[in-house]
Amino acid sequence: MEFTAQQIADLLHGSVEGDPQVKVNRLSKIEEGEPGSLTFLANPKYEEFIYSTNASLVIVDEQFVPEREVKANLIKVKDPYKSFAVLLDTYNKISMSKEGLENPHTIADSAQIGENTYIGAFVYIGENSVIGNRVKLFPGVYIGDNVTIGDDTFLFPGVKVYSDCVIGNDCRIHAGVVIGGDGFGFAPQDDSNYLKVAQIGNVIIEDHVEIGSNTAIDRATLGSTIIRKGVKLDNLIQVAHNVEIGEHTVIAAQTGIAGSTKIGRFCMIGGQVGIVGHLVIADKVKIAAQSGIGTSITKEGEIVQGSPAFFIGDYKKSYIGFRKLPELNARIEELERIIKELQNK
Amino acid sequence: MEFTAQQIADLLHGSVEGDPQVKVNRLSKIEEGEPGSLTFLANPKYEEFIYSTNASLVIVDEQFVPEREVKANLIKVKDPYKSFAVLLDTYNKISMSKEGLENPHTIADSAQIGENTYIGAFVYIGENSVIGNRVKLFPGVYIGDNVTIGDDTFLFPGVKVYSDCVIGNDCRIHAGVVIGGDGFGFAPQDDSNYLKVAQIGNVIIEDHVEIGSNTAIDRATLGSTIIRKGVKLDNLIQVAHNVEIGEHTVIAAQTGIAGSTKIGRFCMIGGQVGIVGHLVIADKVKIAAQSGIGTSITKEGEIVQGSPAFFIGDYKKSYIGFRKLPELNARIEELERIIKELQNK
Amino acid sequence: MEFTAQQIADLLHGSVEGDPQVKVNRLSKIEEGEPGSLTFLANPKYEEFIYSTNASLVIVDEQFVPEREVKANLIKVKDPYKSFAVLLDTYNKISMSKEGLENPHTIADSAQIGENTYIGAFVYIGENSVIGNRVKLFPGVYIGDNVTIGDDTFLFPGVKVYSDCVIGNDCRIHAGVVIGGDGFGFAPQDDSNYLKVAQIGNVIIEDHVEIGSNTAIDRATLGSTIIRKGVKLDNLIQVAHNVEIGEHTVIAAQTGIAGSTKIGRFCMIGGQVGIVGHLVIADKVKIAAQSGIGTSITKEGEIVQGSPAFFIGDYKKSYIGFRKLPELNARIEELERIIKELQNK
């Protein structure tokens, strides 16, 4: 995709200073600008870079007056940051504009496919599944039987959705994600073997959810594992059977949540956190990275750290103590020595 | 799948109380019952829900006498819990009853395929591979060359099995699992570069093993990485080259086991545990979640926690001490103050 | 693949002692040798095994004189270890010798494919992508639009490479890896919702990089996430947007690196490490497994442990103190008791 400075200025309601015919074909940071790239100057901290950048085109504030010579061509706009966001979004929309049906694919006769969808090669859609309008199923996506996918949702390459699961509108599910694998349920038998407990529930993912690459969300034993609307999950996260994650909660990469735990709304959970099963986590709770949560957190907005985790301020104090343990030990030895002396007086 | 109350009663050798023609098409928990769903009452704790449930049909004990009006239709049986388990199992079997060969697929001429198999679309089977009877290979499964898969094993969508690996009977391998990727072996060279050590062993998975979504099991450098019979692995687990996991050991999600470590039988290992390479872990050992194991555990049945881990009772005591470190420090300061006074007397 | 002792002796410039026509079809460790397998004796520690091994053929030093009867046939060479490495490599090359184009596949007309490539069934290659010579794309690989892949690189089954990413020469990318998924970037809004920040950068992977199964590397928001030449990444690793990993750095399984962090050259990072975003890690730094890195490490060659991590020697001392905390507490109680006595004197 290639655009002239003038085309971009028109899109942003700005004006060109320099060559309106100069062409750009990608976006860059101002400090990494190269010929052919378009960038922006919003933060005055970065102003120095405008005199050295090799970018062909820079979006600047309409008030901007250069102090020295600027090689790059400029587009002057009211709000450079916002304008760049508009460009990002436009760029993204164009690059995500695929539509139509690629071959080969395997779609059950009983499946219903919405309008203006993109169905890539090697996509599989099972019996009775319903795919909404403007949905994009990238190559290699697997949709089992009786699955429902809402409008405007994108499933990137190789996403697998087991039977009976439900995905809402406007979701982004990244490559390699598995939705609806069996929960990890085994009943110990008398002979120390394990009997698999059938996992016949499903996964429900509400609207506006984003899920990162290779994350795994297990189906419920009975009922549903539920990801509420607006939840953002990073890559390589484990969500076990019958978990519920509340609205607009954000979870960083490689965190794991064990079975039947219920996470509140607007929580922020760091990376590599582990949460054991059958807990309840209140709304707006924040959990530091690598923490282990072994008991329910009932206080809204609580902030915790550690494994097992407790109030983050106390954890930080304890950890300072941990670092000073050899010194602490030396102080105790000194006390013991003095006391021995005092006793022997 | 839709059944009448009478059909289900016949299956369970029970009797209908209510409308024998009422139809149900899914299972639910009693507290989440909806019209069209079937549930059960086994635990007296949940008896209250039978008066409020919207389920169309409830399996109850043959002794059950309602105290108030019950909207739902009932099926009376000898053991409601067991009956429900029978239903779960039947339901699961029906939903897993796929058979036959879907198009397109790519199967080498030299491969041998058993009877009554299901081979989904986009399945790839390499040279000389042998697939047992009643095996189900869901869409997008990749089987390399010289692979053997026993009878009654299911590989869910997108499982990849590299060449030369062996999988036993009655295994369940979930979506996105990778079996037989190269072990992580690199020999440092004089110039600080690394030379890849060829990984030419394989992975052997014995009977009745279950492996969760997106777990990765590396092939051995030489010889075999071995998962013994009855082992249950959760999602996103890392099993490095030449590891051996003993019979009926259960491992929770996101745990990692480094190269050549040998885990005993009947162990229970929590989530996000890390075990370093070349260790031996005795039978029936239990490891708490997020622990780090840096040395072999020789005592059968040992229970450990921490990173590095030690006996769980001691860990819990130390952790209480950790939480009280600021207080401990204050006590020592107080002692130092008093002793100074005593010395100056 | 089956070879006679004589064929192998010729390849290794060695001489056969025993039956030159004996056939072997696989490699094994000496202690696990079976009829039909070939092994080697390099370390005198293992000499005992040569008298008991069931291997058909053993590579030994030309100086080797057995003390007792040896069942196996021998090949005498100058350097048994090196010879075995040559064999491993030869074996590997033969097993990785696939070439040609399997059906079905989907390759855009605008894509350019090099010479002597292997393109497996169900491979997808998008618009304007360029695939180098001798590249192997195993079945089910997905290559988006505008992707460049250098010469001699292998992508194992089911690897997904999003649009605009660049992969160098001689790389090995294992099954299930996702390259170029969206970075985890969301701007909090006034209404506590999150607005997705478009992720329009790419991933650049330089030459000689190896990446383990199911690892996820996110594309940059703007600019590039960069994996420098010679880097080795194990399985199930998370690399966030705009991260840079320096040349020849090695990272073990399940480690996660948050956004915009820059890791130095020749670092060694253990498994399950977490590194927060926007840090700089100096060259040759070593990080112990399960550590958490919360601040930049500026000292070249620093070795750290803990969460948060500090110098490993100090960590080990503090951890000894942690294990003795109950004892420390008892010592303080004793001191408090004695001091009370002294005060009351």
Side-chain angles (χ1 to χ4, degrees):
Chain A
M1 291 175 290
E2 203 168 56
F3 302 92
T4 65
Q6 191 58 57
Q7 285 173 323
I8 291 165
D10 291 349
L11 176 72
L12 302 177
H13 309 293
S15 60
V16 180
E17 195 153 298
D19 178 4
Q21 293 314 311
V22 68
K23 285 174 178 168
V24 291
N25 60 17
R26 62 187 179 285
L27 306 177
S28 69
K29 297 185 190 177
I30 192 163
E31 66 272 31
E32 297 171 351
E34 291 173 13
S37 81
L38 162 63
T39 185
F40 73 113
L41 174 63
N43 187 334
K45 246 176 53 182
Y46 288 88
E47 185 170 328
E48 200 50 40
F49 289 112
I50 202 168
Y51 304 108
S52 59
T53 187
N54 293 313
S56 299
L57 195 55
V58 186
I59 300 170
V60 297
D61 192 281
E62 54 187 11
Q63 311 292 341
F64 175 71
V65 181
E67 296 173 352
R68 312 201 295 276
E69 192 201 1
V70 169
K71 277 184 303 179
N73 302 281
L74 305 180
I75 294 180
K76 292 192 159 183
V77 298
K78 268 209 177 116
D79 180 341
Y81 185 76
K82 205 169 189 176
S83 292
F84 196 69
V86 166
L87 274 184
L88 276 181
D89 203 47
T90 307
Y91 182 100
N92 222 25
K93 269 184 192 140
I94 293 170
S95 72
M96 286 289 162
S97 62
K98 287 195 186 241
E99 250 187 61
L101 190 59
E102 294 177 350
N103 285 313
H105 57 259
T106 300
I107 302 177
D109 290 342
S110 56
Q112 297 172 44
I113 311 294
E115 294 180 357
N116 303 111
T117 56
Y118 166 57
I119 295 182
F122 316 122
V123 164
Y124 184 98
I125 302 176
E127 300 286 349
N128 303 312
S129 286
V130 179
I131 310 298
N133 298 320
R134 298 170 302 281
V135 164
K136 297 189 197 301
L137 304 181
F138 281 77
V141 164
Y142 167 85
I143 306 287
D145 301 335
N146 312 310
V147 169
T148 302
I149 297 182
D151 294 339
D152 301 297
T153 283
F154 297 4
L155 272 59
F156 289 97
V159 169
K160 295 118 203 153
V161 184
Y162 281 60
S163 296
D164 304 314
C165 294
V166 177
I167 301 179
N169 301 313
D170 187 36
C171 293
R172 300 288 175 273
I173 318 283
H174 280 281
V177 167
V178 177
I179 295 172
D182 279 358
F184 195 62
F186 301 94
Q189 303 299 293
D190 294 343
D191 57 355
S192 296
N193 285 8
Y194 291 92
L195 185 70
K196 181 180 174 73
V197 177
Q199 304 287 315
I200 66 156
N202 72 348
V203 176
I204 296 174
I205 294 173
E206 296 188 348
D207 301 342
H208 314 303
V209 169
E210 180 140 357
I211 301 178
S213 304
N214 285 345
T215 280
I217 302 177
D218 281 350
R219 70 199 303 109
T221 309
L222 261 184
S224 301
T225 304
I226 304 176
I227 314 294
R228 295 285 178 204
K229 72 174 179 184
V231 166
K232 312 297 180 192
L233 301 182
D234 202 347
N235 301 341
L236 291 162
I237 286 173
Q238 151 73 354
V239 180
H241 48 177
N242 294 88
V243 163
E244 180 177 338
I245 302 179
E247 291 176 17
H248 304 294
T249 279
V250 176
I251 303 182
Q254 295 176 318
T255 283
I257 304 168
S260 300
T261 281
K262 197 175 166 186
I263 312 270
R265 301 154 69 230
F266 301 108
C267 292
M268 297 183 70
I269 300 179
Q272 297 181 338
V273 167
I275 306 181
V276 310
H278 299 277
L279 304 187
V280 176
I281 308 295
D283 293 348
K284 300 187 186 171
V285 164
K286 293 181 183 177
I287 302 176
Q290 293 193 326
S291 295
I293 309 299
T295 50
S296 290
I297 299 177
T298 53
K299 190 179 157 197
E300 190 176 310
E302 181 80 327
I303 308 180
V304 299
Q305 183 170 14
S307 175
F310 49 100
F311 174 60
I312 194 168
D314 291 338
Y315 180 83
K316 286 186 190 304
K317 282 180 202 155
S318 280
Y319 202 74
I320 290 169
F322 172 75
R323 292 189 63 155
K324 290 187 176 165
L325 270 174
E327 185 199 308
L328 208 71
N329 191 53
R331 283 163 63 196
I332 294 173
E333 281 174 5
E334 175 66 5
L335 288 174
E336 287 168 335
R337 193 188 57 73
I338 297 174
I339 283 182
K340 207 161 218 169
E341 277 180 17
L342 288 173
Q343 283 180 307
N344 293 340
K345 257 188 195 168
Chain B
M1 291 176 293
E2 202 167 58
F3 302 92
T4 65
Q6 189 60 55
Q7 285 172 323
I8 291 166
D10 291 348
L11 176 72
L12 302 177
H13 308 293
S15 61
V16 180
E17 195 153 297
D19 177 6
Q21 292 315 311
V22 69
K23 285 174 178 170
V24 291
N25 60 17
R26 63 188 180 284
L27 306 177
S28 70
K29 298 185 189 176
I30 193 164
E31 66 271 31
E32 297 172 349
E34 292 173 12
S37 81
L38 161 63
T39 185
F40 74 112
L41 173 64
N43 187 334
K45 248 177 49 183
Y46 288 87
E47 187 171 328
E48 199 51 39
F49 289 111
I50 202 167
Y51 304 107
S52 59
T53 187
N54 292 315
S56 298
L57 193 56
V58 186
I59 300 171
V60 297
D61 192 281
E62 55 187 10
Q63 310 293 340
F64 174 73
V65 181
E67 297 173 353
R68 312 200 295 275
E69 191 201 359
V70 169
K71 276 184 302 180
N73 301 281
L74 305 180
I75 293 182
K76 293 192 160 184
V77 298
K78 268 210 176 113
D79 181 341
Y81 185 75
K82 205 170 189 178
S83 291
F84 196 70
V86 166
L87 274 184
L88 276 181
D89 203 49
T90 307
Y91 182 101
N92 223 24
K93 270 185 190 139
I94 293 171
S95 71
M96 286 291 161
S97 62
K98 287 196 186 239
E99 252 187 58
L101 191 59
E102 294 177 350
N103 285 312
H105 57 260
T106 300
I107 302 178
D109 289 342
S110 57
Q112 296 172 45
I113 311 294
E115 295 179 354
N116 303 112
T117 55
Y118 165 57
I119 295 181
F122 317 121
V123 165
Y124 183 98
I125 302 177
E127 300 286 349
N128 302 312
S129 286
V130 178
I131 309 297
N133 298 319
R134 297 170 303 280
V135 164
K136 296 188 199 302
L137 304 181
F138 281 78
V141 164
Y142 167 85
I143 307 286
D145 300 336
N146 311 310
V147 169
T148 302
I149 297 181
D151 295 337
D152 302 297
T153 282
F154 297 4
L155 272 60
F156 289 97
V159 169
K160 296 116 199 156
V161 185
Y162 280 61
S163 296
D164 304 313
C165 293
V166 177
I167 301 178
N169 302 312
D170 188 36
C171 293
R172 300 287 175 275
I173 318 285
H174 279 281
V177 167
V178 177
I179 294 172
D182 280 358
F184 196 62
F186 301 93
Q189 303 298 293
D190 294 344
D191 57 356
S192 295
N193 285 7
Y194 291 92
L195 186 69
K196 180 179 173 72
V197 177
Q199 304 286 315
I200 65 155
N202 72 347
V203 176
I204 296 175
I205 294 173
E206 296 187 349
D207 302 342
H208 314 302
V209 169
E210 180 140 356
I211 301 178
S213 304
N214 284 345
T215 280
I217 302 177
D218 281 351
R219 68 197 307 108
T221 310
L222 263 182
S224 300
T225 303
I226 304 176
I227 313 295
R228 296 284 177 205
K229 72 175 181 186
V231 166
K232 312 297 179 193
L233 301 182
D234 203 347
N235 301 341
L236 292 163
I237 286 172
Q238 150 73 353
V239 180
H241 49 176
N242 294 87
V243 163
E244 180 178 338
I245 302 179
E247 292 175 15
H248 304 293
T249 280
V250 176
I251 303 181
Q254 296 177 317
T255 282
I257 304 168
S260 299
T261 281
K262 197 175 165 186
I263 311 270
R265 301 153 68 229
F266 302 108
C267 293
M268 297 182 71
I269 300 178
Q272 299 182 336
V273 167
I275 305 181
V276 310
H278 298 276
L279 303 187
V280 177
I281 307 296
D283 293 347
K284 300 186 186 172
V285 164
K286 293 181 184 177
I287 303 176
Q290 294 193 324
S291 295
I293 309 297
T295 51
S296 290
I297 299 178
T298 54
K299 190 179 155 197
E300 190 176 310
E302 182 81 327
I303 308 179
V304 300
Q305 184 170 13
S307 175
F310 50 100
F311 174 61
I312 194 167
D314 292 338
Y315 180 84
K316 286 186 189 305
K317 283 180 201 154
S318 280
Y319 202 75
I320 290 168
F322 172 75
R323 292 189 64 155
K324 289 186 177 167
L325 271 173
E327 183 198 310
L328 208 71
N329 191 53
R331 282 163 63 195
I332 293 172
E333 282 174 4
E334 173 68 4
L335 287 173
E336 287 168 336
R337 194 188 57 73
I338 297 175
I339 282 182
K340 208 162 215 168
E341 279 181 14
L342 288 173
Q343 283 179 306
N344 292 341
K345 256 188 196 168
Chain C
M1 293 175 290
E2 200 167 58
F3 302 93
T4 67
Q6 191 58 55
Q7 285 171 323
I8 291 165
D10 292 349
L11 175 73
L12 303 176
H13 309 294
S15 61
V16 179
E17 197 152 295
D19 178 5
Q21 294 314 310
V22 69
K23 285 175 177 166
V24 291
N25 60 17
R26 63 187 179 284
L27 306 177
S28 69
K29 297 186 189 176
I30 191 163
E31 67 272 29
E32 296 173 351
E34 290 174 14
S37 81
L38 161 64
T39 184
F40 74 113
L41 174 63
N43 187 334
K45 245 176 53 183
Y46 288 88
E47 187 173 327
E48 199 50 40
F49 289 113
I50 201 168
Y51 305 109
S52 59
T53 187
N54 292 315
S56 298
L57 194 56
V58 185
I59 300 170
V60 297
D61 192 281
E62 55 187 8
Q63 310 293 340
F64 175 71
V65 182
E67 296 174 354
R68 311 201 295 274
E69 193 201 359
V70 168
K71 275 184 303 178
N73 302 280
L74 306 179
I75 293 181
K76 292 192 159 184
V77 298
K78 268 209 177 116
D79 181 341
Y81 185 74
K82 206 169 188 177
S83 292
F84 197 69
V86 167
L87 274 184
L88 276 182
D89 203 48
T90 308
Y91 181 100
N92 223 25
K93 270 184 189 139
I94 293 171
S95 72
M96 286 289 161
S97 63
K98 287 194 186 239
E99 251 186 62
L101 191 59
E102 293 176 351
N103 284 314
H105 57 259
T106 300
I107 302 178
D109 289 341
S110 57
Q112 297 171 44
I113 312 294
E115 294 180 357
N116 303 111
T117 55
Y118 166 57
I119 295 181
F122 317 122
V123 165
Y124 183 98
I125 302 177
E127 299 287 349
N128 303 312
S129 286
V130 178
I131 310 296
N133 298 319
R134 298 171 300 283
V135 164
K136 296 188 197 303
L137 303 181
F138 282 77
V141 163
Y142 168 85
I143 307 287
D145 300 336
N146 312 310
V147 169
T148 302
I149 296 182
D151 295 338
D152 301 297
T153 282
F154 298 3
L155 272 60
F156 289 96
V159 169
K160 295 117 203 156
V161 184
Y162 281 60
S163 295
D164 304 313
C165 294
V166 177
I167 300 179
N169 301 311
D170 187 37
C171 293
R172 301 286 175 276
I173 317 284
H174 279 282
V177 168
V178 177
I179 294 172
D182 279 359
F184 195 63
F186 301 93
Q189 302 300 293
D190 294 343
D191 56 356
S192 297
N193 285 8
Y194 290 92
L195 185 70
K196 180 178 174 72
V197 177
Q199 305 287 315
I200 67 156
N202 71 346
V203 176
I204 296 175
I205 294 174
E206 296 188 348
D207 302 342
H208 315 302
V209 168
E210 180 140 356
I211 301 178
S213 306
N214 285 346
T215 280
I217 302 177
D218 281 351
R219 71 196 305 108
T221 309
L222 261 184
S224 300
T225 303
I226 304 177
I227 314 293
R228 295 285 177 204
K229 72 174 179 186
V231 166
K232 312 297 179 194
L233 301 182
D234 203 348
N235 302 340
L236 292 163
I237 286 172
Q238 151 73 350
V239 180
H241 48 177
N242 293 87
V243 164
E244 179 178 338
I245 302 180
E247 292 177 16
H248 303 294
T249 280
V250 176
I251 303 181
Q254 295 177 319
T255 282
I257 304 168
S260 299
T261 281
K262 196 176 166 187
I263 311 270
R265 301 154 68 230
F266 302 108
C267 293
M268 297 181 71
I269 301 179
Q272 298 181 338
V273 167
I275 306 181
V276 309
H278 298 276
L279 303 187
V280 176
I281 308 294
D283 294 347
K284 299 186 186 172
V285 164
K286 293 181 184 176
I287 303 176
Q290 294 193 325
S291 294
I293 309 299
T295 50
S296 290
I297 299 178
T298 54
K299 190 178 157 199
E300 190 176 310
E302 181 80 328
I303 308 179
V304 299
Q305 184 170 13
S307 176
F310 50 101
F311 174 60
I312 193 167
D314 292 338
Y315 180 83
K316 285 186 191 304
K317 282 179 202 156
S318 280
Y319 202 75
I320 290 169
F322 172 75
R323 291 189 63 155
K324 290 186 177 167
L325 270 174
E327 186 198 310
L328 208 71
N329 191 54
R331 282 163 64 196
I332 294 173
E333 281 175 2
E334 175 66 5
L335 287 173
E336 288 169 334
R337 193 189 57 74
I338 296 174
I339 283 181
K340 207 161 216 170
E341 278 181 16
L342 288 172
Q343 285 179 305
N344 294 339
K345 258 190 196 166

